[in-house]
Amino acid sequence: KIRLFDEDKELELVGISIGGGTIEITELNTFKLKLSGENPAILVVHNDVFGIISFVSTVLAKHEINIGHMEVSRKEKGQMALMVIEVDQKIQGDVMKEIEGLENVSQVIRMVE
């Protein structure tokens, strides 16, 4: 378990060793997930509202970023939710800012570069 924080944000990661020096992230701020770290990835914390998955994927498509794997989970219907998106190439800062600027997105975290 690793806890990271700055002035206004806190992040708690839980991971496991899967052998050969490789780890897998299994939890982020109590959200269950499976993130290998083999590909660039972003985590999008958002409100569970209609269309938000489409809005985020539209931004990625506009910048020709291909999604290799995606998981979506939520605490409760209509509450906080998390998208874990693994992609084929590094996501640039301008794309991150565009996703962060979407309505109902509260945080975007780049996990692997």
Side-chain angles (χ1 to χ4, degrees):
K1 184 185 288 191
I2 299 173
R3 295 182 73 201
L4 307 168
F5 53 91
D6 62 15
E7 295 94 32
D8 61 344
K9 295 179 185 173
E10 186 172 331
L11 185 69
E12 183 177 276
L13 293 169
V14 177
I16 58 171
S17 172
I18 57 175
T22 305
I23 64 162
E24 182 175 283
I25 297 171
T26 59
E27 192 174 309
L28 170 72
N29 292 349
T30 71
F31 280 101
K32 302 294 182 198
L33 60 101
K34 184 177 180 180
L35 187 61
S36 67
E38 293 179 14
N39 298 303
I42 59 170
L43 307 177
V44 181
V45 181
H46 59 92
N47 295 325
D48 179 36
V49 295
F50 178 81
I52 191 70
I53 296 167
S54 175
F55 298 144
V56 171
S57 61
T58 297
V59 170
L60 295 174
K62 181 174 89 172
H63 292 277
E64 299 182 355
I65 297 171
N66 190 45
I67 297 172
H69 177 81
M70 181 175 185
E71 291 181 33
V72 182
S73 60
R74 61 186 179 189
K75 296 286 185 181
E76 288 183 41
K77 186 176 179 179
Q79 300 297 313
M80 186 169 58
L82 175 70
M83 281 182 242
V84 178
I85 306 171
E86 290 187 37
V87 296
D88 293 340
Q89 70 267 19
K90 180 180 175 182
I91 297 178
Q92 301 298 325
D94 60 331
V95 179
M96 296 283 291
K97 287 182 182 178
E98 190 171 344
I99 294 170
E100 287 173 344
L102 293 172
E103 188 174 347
N104 291 301
V105 170
S106 57
Q107 187 176 15
V108 181
I109 302 162
R110 188 176 4 221
M111 293 298 294
V112 179
E113 299 206 37

